[in-house]
Amino acid sequence: LCPMFPEYDVIVVGAGHAGCEAAAAAANMGSRVLLVTMNMQTIAQMSCNPAMGGIAKGQIVREIDAMGGYSGIVSDRSTIQFRMLNRSKGPAMWSPRTQNDRMLFAAVWREMLEQTPNVDFYQDMVKGLLVKDGRVEGVQTGLGHDIKAKAVVLTNGTFLNGVIHIGEKQFGGGRVAEKAATGITEQLVSLGFESDRLKTGTPPRIDGRSLDYSKMTEQKGDDEVVGFSYLPTPRVQPQAQRSCWITYTSPEVHEVLKTGFDRSPMYQGRIQGVGPRYCPSIEDKINRFAERERHQLFVEPEGWNTVEIYVNGFSTSLPESVQFEALRMVPGFENCRMFRPGYAIEYDYFPPTQLRYSLETKLIGNLFFAGQINGTTGYEEAACQGLMAGINAHRKATGQDPLILKRSEAYIGVLIDDLISKGTEEPYRMFTSRAEFRTLLRQDNADLRLTELSYRLGLASQERMDRVLDKKAGVEKVKTMTAELTLEPEEVNGFLEARDSAPLTQKQRVQQLLLRPGITFPDLFRQVPKVAAVFGGFSEETLEQADIQLKYDVYIQKERELVDRMSQMEDLPIPDNFNYDKVHALSAEARQKFGRIRPGTLGQASRISGVTPSDVQILMVYMGR
Amino acid sequence: LCPMFPEYDVIVVGAGHAGCEAAAAAANMGSRVLLVTMNMQTIAQMSCNPAMGGIAKGQIVREIDAMGGYSGIVSDRSTIQFRMLNRSKGPAMWSPRTQNDRMLFAAVWREMLEQTPNVDFYQDMVKGLLVKDGRVEGVQTGLGHDIKAKAVVLTNGTFLNGVIHIGEKQFGGGRVAEKAATGITEQLVSLGFESDRLKTGTPPRIDGRSLDYSKMTEQKGDDEVVGFSYLPTPRVQPQAQRSCWITYTSPEVHEVLKTGFDRSPMYQGRIQGVGPRYCPSIEDKINRFAERERHQLFVEPEGWNTVEIYVNGFSTSLPESVQFEALRMVPGFENCRMFRPGYAIEYDYFPPTQLRYSLETKLIGNLFFAGQINGTTGYEEAACQGLMAGINAHRKATGQDPLILKRSEAYIGVLIDDLISKGTEEPYRMFTSRAEFRTLLRQDNADLRLTELSYRLGLASQERMDRVLDKKAGVEKVKTMTAELTLEPEEVNGFLEARDSAPLTQKQRVQQLLLRPGITFPDLFRQVPKVAAVFGGFSEETLEQADIQLKYDVYIQKERELVDRMSQMEDLPIPDNFNYDKVHALSAEARQKFGRIRPGTLGQASRISGVTPSDVQILMVYMGR
Ligand SMILES: Cc1cc2nc3c(=O)[nH]c(=O)nc-3n(C[C@H](O)[C@H](O)[C@H](O)COP(=O)(O)OP(=O)(O)OC[C@H]3O[C@@H](n4cnc5c(N)ncnc54)[C@H](O)[C@@H]3O)c2cc1C
Ligand SMILES: Cc1cc2nc3c(=O)[nH]c(=O)nc-3n(C[C@H](O)[C@H](O)[C@H](O)COP(=O)(O)OP(=O)(O)OC[C@H]3O[C@@H](n4cnc5c(N)ncnc54)[C@H](O)[C@@H]3O)c2cc1C
């Protein structure tokens, strides 16, 4: 064997979002890691939009951060705009989102990885795995090296036999102007894996100097930049943020787009892969929602110092001249110039039902898959799988049990459970609606949920752990103090009036006041001198956390109980010969699937795709619960 | 024709050093420019070493800057280390050199281009030219667009049918992990162009964390950062600079390298292209200089925040494991880890004798070639050709005469004259020895030589012109004042003694003093209060310039006269039937070549490759001069 490489604990193939998190996690736990990637100049490249987080995805980034992953820190350090989406809804829906400087994002990732001891780098294409007796033992590279490792994590993204489509043109590539990766799919299939094709797409990029922003609506960043990381990472100054703009398509735009349908790779059947339902191309949108007269477009800058613009919502693989003509009819785009056209890409993925909950493959021991290769879409989805695969590759390499997050612990748990138990036939992305316990899985408490777990595994740092303990203690103390501190009517009625809330007639505890809708702790703190005096020593984050815990206590308790009941049920056996046909209350789909799959436990039954919570409750009743 | 693109004045193909300068120059002169490049994420990528300038090349960068090109500014803004090479020699040899942050260099270039009005960008591969009646009318792209322009500049670098070699492996590519460009060579050849193959190579990149710097010699940056640009561009703070290190190969290293010769693409004849004689691979060096026991290696950081290291002097295409084993025997590299192997690349070029002095091709009107495609090597060589091609493409598109720099005006003039008149059969790089008037062509006076010329053409800005006028006036004033100001022995003898220079016995003019070797104006200024008081209002640059002009006045005058004599001779006709065989004093090579080529004028004779200045002087004598 070639002496160029030592035997590694973990080899990670691919330096996208999944691969970077995997390498960092395994290395930080103590594994000696090699990160092999085709081009070291594209480490942590954002293939599509220059943004992180958003609804449900923002929660994932905070979870990654809480566990000691890097995506949150990298995003904070490269933010050009921050917004907390859904602020007007309950805190379970709050979702942080950053717009990022594309080049800076990649540069910071690379810098952080380089500063991680135990991560080695190597630029080469992995074209096969070394497999012996059903276990992976390393990788084989295009330059002909056999590199040994105890565990291997594949994170090939969209590169496996990638084919790019623009109108009637098609050519091989993993991203535009980058080569595709070959060999791995073929070998895995020969080993018994099942693979299939998916597709995704990206919109054209525009010269910002050619746009008329006066015809669009400006969307500024938040006044307060919360950010992702629970560590005190430097964040963008609120007033320094860059704006995005909003504009719309129109029936005329749609008409022009339709003129390209006869040359569309999708409608012509040249693309076989299934595309992301929830991040559809503009041609999909005007087809599926024929009744809609317009679709929203977000016009987003690609960085601090570039005029390149990303047209969010206009993903397309129509012929380039059609893309261009249609864009020119969009308000503000009358004189637009195109830097690069939108395109679609088709690639191989491996249906994730072939994995264990640890993300190890069932067929080949010590081989892990993470990211787009598992049929997901999105940076955050990829990154969190990378983190988990990195953790579990390290644990496998050191003979320890895997870490498996529950659906009630983290969106990450929901995502992996969905993938493993239900599989996916179209690119999977996260939504809040996929989580049944979303009151528990908030963006503000990912650290309280996950940091200790990760710390015990040796991943989250002492600093993180200390901060969590401080936050916990602070919140408890604040909660107790709110039960003790009372306010006289004259101390608070002015404030209450200003907030359209009924005035006090007699003194009341702060805790009681906080239960009122529209009254938040940070607000009270800022407006009422007595409150400010008493709670002066606590951070805004602590006050807000206490506020949420107090306000939503009832809901949180309810969900906790549900979790408990469900987890008791989880292992409740279903008799082998149970006759589902007799249970008429079940939906037809559930009856059929239960009959065919014959789940062994209620838990397993609940996770079958197409089965609704009410089907499960009906089953529960029949099982005598 | 596709409505996506307007008709451009100038289309530049390729965004390497040549293409970027060409686009900027043409646009700044008023042309509407389209820069088409295969990947907008690799604009101004440094393919090989992260450094600009150096001997003769530093002079070129300053010339580019003096004319209003961007390379100097970009280099200054991304400098991690500055050194003025050859400081101990005469000022004609002084050569500024920067070590650069690779990513920042590309980012700054892109930012400056984006901020240049009139430059549009488009990401696509140009696969052919639109040619009609012997004139180019635009380009055809891989996505199928015909884009029209009055002039086209090709700057394809190493991408035309590029083939990469590492040991016995070979694969297509324009740089590692980037696709090669196809189509253009084939079309040009079918139009009657001659093309050939050249090759170049790059060393492996190493993980700086794996090196032991205590075994190497540190090389710090200069205490004073002069930089390239004549504009007040921000420069790196001297104390912030990053160090490089020096180490050496050894007979053991050479022995290991030799074990790979039987698998070397060069020695096995798999590479046909000729490599750069003056930037040879390490295998070339140990072959050609078999008597040398060691070769110097410069260990250079790739940027501010990266651990990636460039091993300058170790360019190689030997099998990777041989590269690795050999490196491990180099002091300081005992435990080194490799990020990416060195490799060689073969590509098409077009012998530059097919060009006019304007860099327009002789065969196809309005088509210009610049950079590596002309058989040169090096960023600076490419950039200055790009600048000239950009200027001349603009002038052609607007019906004006080309700008042609003389050999006595600029290294750029020397370079283009060498290429056009002599051609090149191996990658051409610049040396001070190629310039016969190097006392005139100094790095300190590129602005005095070139800015006004460029300003008159509408390229160099008013700010540049004003600064040159100020500098000129200041220098004249200083020179006059040095003739007037006298110093008494007691005012200067302490200083003279400290500089080992004979003390004065009576008062002397400053001008006289400055003629002494070892006495410089800036030094005198700093050490002698009276001088400081009188010249306090002048910049260090002005004092230094006056100093150089005074000290080297005799040499400068001599060279000016030679230039005049030569330019008179330039057109001196040589009789058609002149019998060279009779002129025994001529070198055999000159006699033979003159006889074959039969130059029409003495100027033409002087530019034939292999002809020495003394051959020309002998001819002159025979012609009765
Ligand atoms: C055109 C396009 C459009 C997209 N649009 C969207 C969208 O609209 N919404 C959305 O949510 N997501 C979108 N995505 C998906 C998003 O980019 C991915 O989800 C995310 O980048 C996946 O991360 P990853 O780490 O799995 O893979 P990637 O980010 O693709 O990274 C894969 C890495 O592996 C390397 N690699 C691959 N094979 C090998 C090999 N054999 N040897 C060595 N290295 C290898 C590659 O060089 C790369 O560094 C899009 C992707 C593309 C390409
Ligand atoms: C491996 C390697 C090693 C080198 N080693 C040295 C060295 O040791 N010393 C030295 O002095 N120089 C070296 N060089 C050369 C140096 O990189 C070049 O001289 C310099 O980069 C040339 O600049 P350029 O602008 O001519 O071309 P490049 O910098 O090569 O740029 C060409 C550009 O054109 C684009 N392009 C090409 N074809 C097309 C097309 N058809 N359509 C659209 N875009 C296109 C490419 O994407 C690229 O952006 C090396 C180069 C390489 C690749």
Side-chain angles (χ1 to χ4, degrees):
Chain A
L1 222 71
C2 170
M4 259 187 71
F5 300 94
E7 174 167 349
Y8 285 94
D9 297 313
V10 178
I11 291 177
V12 177
V13 179
H17 306 267
C20 289
E21 285 290 2
N28 281 325
M29 292 174 84
S31 270
R32 177 143 197 204
V33 176
L34 180 68
L35 181 56
V36 192
T37 195
M38 287 163 71
N39 185 349
M40 281 193 61
Q41 240 125 300
T42 59
I43 288 178
Q45 195 73 50
M46 299 173 121
S47 312
C48 189
N49 59 328
M52 285 291 281
I55 294 167
K57 292 165 173 263
Q59 282 84 327
I60 292 181
V61 178
R62 296 215 85 176
E63 290 176 355
I64 293 171
D65 184 74
M67 296 192 63
Y70 289 178
S71 291
I73 297 173
V74 171
S75 303
D76 284 345
R77 284 178 55 191
S78 58
T79 298
I80 64 171
Q81 186 192 79
F82 177 86
R83 291 179 65 219
M84 184 67 83
L85 307 183
N86 281 338
R87 263 265 192 221
S88 60
K89 303 189 182 164
M93 298 304 287
W94 296 5
S95 304
R97 178 184 190 273
T98 55
Q99 187 73 29
N100 298 79
D101 182 304
R102 185 187 297 281
M103 281 165 110
L104 190 57
F105 181 92
V108 174
W109 244 121
R110 178 159 172 183
E111 187 187 326
M112 287 191 67
L113 281 176
E114 286 189 2
Q115 280 162 10
T116 302
N118 292 341
V119 179
D120 287 357
F121 298 85
Y122 184 61
Q123 175 175 296
D124 202 346
M125 187 182 94
V126 168
K127 60 160 214 230
L129 301 168
L130 305 175
V131 177
K132 204 173 143 189
D133 303 333
R135 259 196 46 182
V136 72
E137 297 202 321
V139 301
Q140 194 158 45
T141 76
L143 287 175
H145 299 291
D146 285 355
I147 316 178
K148 287 220 152 194
K150 301 206 181 80
V152 172
V153 184
L154 289 188
T155 69
N156 302 75
T158 52
F159 284 71
L160 294 177
N161 295 315
V163 173
I164 289 168
H165 298 262
I166 307 177
E168 292 170 308
K169 299 262 165 188
Q170 66 182 66
F171 42 92
R175 275 185 294 242
V176 112
E178 291 183 51
K179 293 187 183 175
T182 51
I184 290 182
T185 305
E186 295 71 11
Q187 186 192 15
L188 288 175
V189 167
S190 80
L191 288 168
F193 281 87
E194 190 192 321
S195 88
D196 211 336
R197 298 287 271 176
L198 287 177
K199 75 125 199 164
T200 186
T202 197
R205 310 300 152 82
I206 303 298
D207 187 336
R209 298 171 300 178
S210 65
L211 298 182
D212 180 354
Y213 292 105
S214 71
K215 300 199 176 145
M216 315 184 205
T217 312
E218 185 168 3
Q219 187 174 51
K220 291 186 188 255
D222 283 0
D223 292 335
E224 185 204 356
V225 174
V226 177
F228 289 115
S229 182
Y230 293 99
L231 292 180
T233 311
R235 278 135 165 89
V236 64
Q237 291 303 100
Q239 64 284 7
Q241 295 176 91
R242 288 203 56 178
S243 292
C244 297
W245 281 266
I246 295 175
T247 185
Y248 296 90
T249 63
S250 63
E252 293 74 43
V253 174
H254 300 176
E255 281 317 308
V256 174
L257 288 169
K258 284 181 195 158
T259 66
F261 280 14
D262 60 336
R263 282 165 292 157
S264 151
M266 276 201 310
Y267 300 131
Q268 294 309 305
R270 279 190 301 282
I271 294 185
Q272 259 112 44
V274 182
R277 177 189 304 260
Y278 306 102
C279 196
S281 62
I282 184 75
E283 50 267 35
D284 265 354
K285 285 193 257 188
I286 60 179
N287 219 12
R288 278 206 271 145
F289 310 103
E291 72 290 359
R292 290 190 45 190
E293 296 228 316
R294 62 181 207 174
H295 295 279
Q296 201 171 34
L297 300 179
F298 292 92
V299 178
E300 305 177 334
E302 292 247 332
W304 286 116
N305 297 316
T306 176
V307 299
E308 191 163 355
I309 290 290
Y310 180 88
V311 192
N312 201 339
F314 206 82
S315 170
T316 178
S317 60
L318 289 172
E320 191 179 9
S321 52
V322 175
Q323 301 181 18
F324 177 74
E325 267 184 70
L327 267 182
R328 283 237 163 175
M329 314 204 69
V330 171
F333 283 65
E334 293 80 0
N335 296 306
C336 79
R337 289 188 303 268
M338 224 187 243
F339 279 172
R340 350 188 187 188
Y343 65 91
I345 182 164
E346 252 190 318
Y347 53 91
D348 296 332
Y349 86 109
F350 293 87
T353 46
Q354 303 174 83
L355 302 177
R356 301 173 197 281
Y357 274 81
S358 59
L359 298 181
E360 189 182 6
T361 69
K362 291 176 182 165
L363 267 171
I364 306 287
N366 297 34
L367 176 64
F368 296 75
F369 288 175
Q372 195 106 355
I373 191 176
N374 287 337
T376 61
T377 177
Y379 308 146
E380 305 78 3
E381 289 84 349
C384 76
Q385 289 172 65
L387 176 82
M388 297 306 294
I391 291 173
N392 286 330
H394 166 81
R395 290 184 66 84
K396 184 79 194 248
T398 50
Q400 300 173 79
D401 284 343
L403 169 69
I404 294 164
L405 295 177
K406 301 201 193 79
R407 294 182 75 92
S408 55
E409 280 175 325
Y411 273 93
I412 303 177
V414 174
L415 181 135
I416 294 181
D417 184 50
D418 280 352
L419 290 179
I420 291 359
S421 64
K422 302 188 191 166
T424 184
E425 271 150 28
E426 61 187 11
Y428 177 98
R429 69 163 281 190
M430 185 46 74
F431 295 101
T432 47
S433 61
R434 297 200 191 265
E436 47 283 74
F437 308 116
R438 48 183 174 279
T439 310
L440 300 180
L441 307 185
R442 302 187 313 274
Q443 62 86 27
D444 57 87
N445 70 352
D447 53 343
L448 303 176
R449 289 185 272 128
L450 299 169
T451 298
E452 188 172 346
L453 195 71
S454 172
Y455 173 73
R456 283 180 198 275
L457 296 182
L459 177 53
S461 65
Q462 189 65 48
E463 184 189 2
R464 279 192 188 279
M465 192 60 231
D466 291 346
R467 291 177 73 90
V468 167
L469 293 176
D470 283 356
K471 180 169 166 181
K472 262 194 185 148
V475 170
E476 284 316 311
K477 188 139 177 227
V478 166
K479 280 160 69 177
T480 313
M481 284 164 70
T482 59
E484 288 159 0
L485 181 68
T486 53
L487 295 176
E488 299 294 335
E490 61 273 25
E491 288 169 331
V492 71
N493 277 350
F495 167 73
L496 289 177
E497 244 166 84
R499 295 291 173 272
D500 279 334
S501 202
L504 298 186
T505 49
Q506 56 181 84
K507 68 177 179 182
Q508 199 173 55
R509 291 171 208 272
V510 169
Q511 201 168 73
Q512 205 59 31
L513 268 175
L514 289 178
L515 294 181
R516 294 188 176 194
I519 303 300
T520 74
F521 208 161
D523 196 15
L524 197 68
F525 176 84
R526 278 189 293 265
Q527 304 296 334
V528 180
K530 190 167 169 192
V531 177
V534 172
F535 292 97
F538 297 96
S539 69
E540 170 130 358
E541 188 191 357
T542 306
L543 300 184
E544 192 167 74
Q545 185 57 226
D547 192 23
I548 292 171
Q549 291 189 11
L550 290 169
K551 266 204 183 60
Y552 298 92
D553 188 44
V554 183
Y555 306 95
I556 294 173
Q557 289 317 325
K558 246 200 204 146
E559 244 178 40
R560 283 241 167 79
E561 281 160 28
L562 192 61
V563 170
D564 289 343
R565 269 181 64 206
M566 299 275 280
S567 78
Q568 285 160 16
M569 270 182 23
E570 174 73 26
D571 299 327
L572 192 75
I574 305 178
D576 254 6
N577 55 355
F578 189 89
N579 189 346
Y580 295 100
D581 290 335
K582 283 199 183 150
V583 190
H584 298 293
L586 285 174
S587 72
E589 186 175 354
R591 201 158 50 227
Q592 202 183 5
K593 288 196 172 164
F594 288 156
R596 202 179 66 232
I597 297 171
R598 306 211 72 81
T601 64
L602 213 57
Q604 209 183 323
S606 72
R607 284 186 298 267
I608 291 171
S609 127
V611 167
T612 67
S614 86
D615 290 324
V616 179
Q617 295 199 336
I618 291 162
L619 257 195
M620 264 167 80
V621 172
Y622 267 78
M623 311 298 301
R625 304 270 161 153
Chain B
L1 222 72
C2 168
M4 260 188 70
F5 300 94
E7 174 166 350
Y8 285 94
D9 296 314
V10 177
I11 291 177
V12 177
V13 179
H17 306 267
C20 289
E21 286 289 3
N28 281 325
M29 291 173 83
S31 271
R32 177 142 197 203
V33 176
L34 180 68
L35 180 57
V36 192
T37 194
M38 288 163 70
N39 186 348
M40 280 193 63
Q41 239 126 300
T42 59
I43 287 179
Q45 195 72 50
M46 297 174 121
S47 312
C48 190
N49 59 328
M52 286 291 281
I55 294 166
K57 292 165 173 264
Q59 283 85 328
I60 292 180
V61 178
R62 296 214 85 177
E63 289 176 355
I64 293 171
D65 184 74
M67 296 192 63
Y70 289 178
S71 290
I73 297 172
V74 171
S75 303
D76 284 345
R77 284 179 54 191
S78 57
T79 297
I80 65 171
Q81 187 193 76
F82 177 86
R83 291 179 65 220
M84 184 66 83
L85 308 183
N86 281 338
R87 264 263 193 223
S88 59
K89 303 189 182 164
M93 298 305 286
W94 296 6
S95 304
R97 178 184 190 275
T98 56
Q99 187 73 29
N100 298 80
D101 182 304
R102 184 187 297 280
M103 281 166 110
L104 190 57
F105 181 93
V108 174
W109 244 120
R110 178 160 171 182
E111 187 187 326
M112 287 191 67
L113 279 176
E114 286 189 1
Q115 281 163 10
T116 303
N118 292 341
V119 179
D120 287 357
F121 299 85
Y122 184 62
Q123 174 173 297
D124 202 347
M125 187 182 95
V126 168
K127 59 162 215 229
L129 301 169
L130 305 175
V131 178
K132 204 174 144 190
D133 303 335
R135 261 196 45 182
V136 72
E137 297 201 322
V139 301
Q140 193 159 45
T141 76
L143 287 176
H145 298 291
D146 284 356
I147 317 178
K148 287 220 152 194
K150 300 205 182 80
V152 172
V153 184
L154 288 187
T155 69
N156 303 74
T158 53
F159 283 71
L160 294 177
N161 295 315
V163 174
I164 288 168
H165 298 263
I166 307 177
E168 292 171 308
K169 299 263 164 187
Q170 65 182 67
F171 41 94
R175 276 185 294 240
V176 114
E178 292 182 51
K179 293 188 183 175
T182 51
I184 291 182
T185 306
E186 295 70 12
Q187 185 192 16
L188 289 174
V189 167
S190 80
L191 287 168
F193 281 87
E194 190 191 323
S195 88
D196 211 336
R197 298 288 272 176
L198 287 176
K199 76 126 199 163
T200 186
T202 195
R205 311 299 152 82
I206 304 298
D207 187 336
R209 298 172 300 179
S210 65
L211 298 182
D212 180 354
Y213 292 105
S214 71
K215 301 198 176 148
M216 315 183 204
T217 312
E218 185 169 3
Q219 186 175 52
K220 292 187 188 253
D222 283 1
D223 292 334
E224 185 204 355
V225 174
V226 177
F228 289 117
S229 182
Y230 292 99
L231 291 180
T233 311
R235 278 134 165 89
V236 64
Q237 291 303 99
Q239 65 283 7
Q241 294 176 91
R242 289 203 56 178
S243 291
C244 297
W245 281 268
I246 296 174
T247 184
Y248 295 90
T249 63
S250 63
E252 293 73 45
V253 174
H254 300 176
E255 281 317 308
V256 174
L257 288 169
K258 284 181 194 157
T259 66
F261 281 14
D262 60 337
R263 283 165 291 158
S264 150
M266 276 201 309
Y267 300 131
Q268 294 309 304
R270 278 190 301 282
I271 294 187
Q272 259 114 43
V274 183
R277 177 190 304 259
Y278 306 100
C279 194
S281 63
I282 185 75
E283 51 267 35
D284 265 355
K285 284 194 256 188
I286 61 178
N287 219 12
R288 278 205 272 146
F289 311 102
E291 73 290 357
R292 289 189 47 189
E293 295 227 316
R294 64 180 205 172
H295 295 278
Q296 202 170 33
L297 301 178
F298 293 92
V299 177
E300 305 177 334
E302 291 248 332
W304 286 115
N305 296 317
T306 176
V307 300
E308 191 162 356
I309 290 291
Y310 180 88
V311 192
N312 200 340
F314 205 83
S315 169
T316 178
S317 60
L318 288 172
E320 191 181 9
S321 52
V322 176
Q323 300 182 19
F324 177 74
E325 266 184 70
L327 267 183
R328 282 239 163 175
M329 314 204 69
V330 171
F333 282 65
E334 293 80 1
N335 297 306
C336 77
R337 289 188 303 268
M338 224 188 244
F339 279 172
R340 350 189 186 188
Y343 65 91
I345 182 164
E346 253 190 316
Y347 53 91
D348 297 333
Y349 84 110
F350 293 85
T353 45
Q354 304 174 84
L355 302 177
R356 302 174 197 281
Y357 273 80
S358 59
L359 299 180
E360 188 183 6
T361 68
K362 291 176 182 166
L363 267 171
I364 306 287
N366 297 33
L367 175 65
F368 295 76
F369 288 176
Q372 196 106 354
I373 192 176
N374 287 337
T376 61
T377 177
Y379 308 146
E380 305 78 2
E381 289 83 350
C384 74
Q385 289 172 65
L387 176 81
M388 297 305 294
I391 291 172
N392 286 330
H394 166 81
R395 290 184 66 84
K396 185 78 195 249
T398 49
Q400 300 174 79
D401 284 344
L403 169 69
I404 295 164
L405 295 176
K406 301 201 194 79
R407 294 182 74 93
S408 55
E409 280 175 325
Y411 274 93
I412 303 176
V414 174
L415 181 136
I416 294 180
D417 183 50
D418 279 352
L419 290 179
I420 295 347
S421 66
K422 302 188 191 167
T424 184
E425 272 151 27
E426 62 187 12
Y428 177 99
R429 69 163 281 191
M430 185 46 73
F431 295 101
T432 46
S433 61
R434 297 200 191 263
E436 46 285 73
F437 309 115
R438 48 182 174 279
T439 309
L440 299 181
L441 306 185
R442 303 186 313 273
Q443 61 87 26
D444 57 87
N445 69 352
D447 53 344
L448 303 176
R449 289 185 273 128
L450 298 170
T451 299
E452 188 172 345
L453 196 70
S454 172
Y455 173 74
R456 282 178 198 276
L457 295 181
L459 177 53
S461 64
Q462 188 66 46
E463 183 189 4
R464 280 193 189 278
M465 192 61 231
D466 290 346
R467 292 177 72 92
V468 167
L469 294 177
D470 283 356
K471 180 169 166 181
K472 261 194 185 149
V475 170
E476 284 317 311
K477 188 139 177 225
V478 166
K479 280 160 70 177
T480 313
M481 285 164 69
T482 59
E484 287 160 1
L485 181 69
T486 55
L487 295 176
E488 299 295 336
E490 61 273 25
E491 288 170 329
V492 71
N493 277 351
F495 166 72
L496 290 176
E497 246 166 83
R499 294 291 174 274
D500 279 333
S501 201
L504 298 187
T505 50
Q506 58 181 81
K507 68 177 180 183
Q508 198 173 56
R509 291 170 208 272
V510 169
Q511 202 168 72
Q512 204 59 31
L513 268 175
L514 289 178
L515 294 181
R516 294 188 177 195
I519 303 300
T520 74
F521 207 160
D523 196 15
L524 196 69
F525 176 84
R526 276 190 293 266
Q527 304 295 331
V528 179
K530 189 168 169 191
V531 176
V534 171
F535 293 97
F538 298 96
S539 70
E540 170 128 358
E541 188 191 359
T542 306
L543 299 185
E544 193 167 73
Q545 185 58 227
D547 191 24
I548 292 172
Q549 291 189 11
L550 291 169
K551 265 203 184 60
Y552 298 92
D553 188 44
V554 183
Y555 306 96
I556 294 173
Q557 290 316 325
K558 247 201 204 146
E559 243 177 41
R560 284 242 167 78
E561 281 160 27
L562 192 60
V563 170
D564 289 343
R565 270 183 62 208
M566 298 274 281
S567 77
Q568 286 161 16
M569 270 182 22
E570 173 72 26
D571 299 326
L572 192 74
I574 305 177
D576 254 5
N577 56 355
F578 190 88
N579 190 346
Y580 295 99
D581 290 334
K582 282 200 184 147
V583 189
H584 300 292
L586 285 174
S587 72
E589 187 176 352
R591 202 159 47 229
Q592 204 182 3
K593 289 196 171 162
F594 287 156
R596 203 180 66 232
I597 296 171
R598 306 211 72 82
T601 64
L602 214 56
Q604 209 184 323
S606 72
R607 284 186 298 266
I608 293 171
S609 125
V611 168
T612 67
S614 85
D615 289 324
V616 179
Q617 297 200 333
I618 291 162
L619 259 195
M620 262 166 82
V621 172
Y622 266 78
M623 313 297 301
R625 303 269 160 157

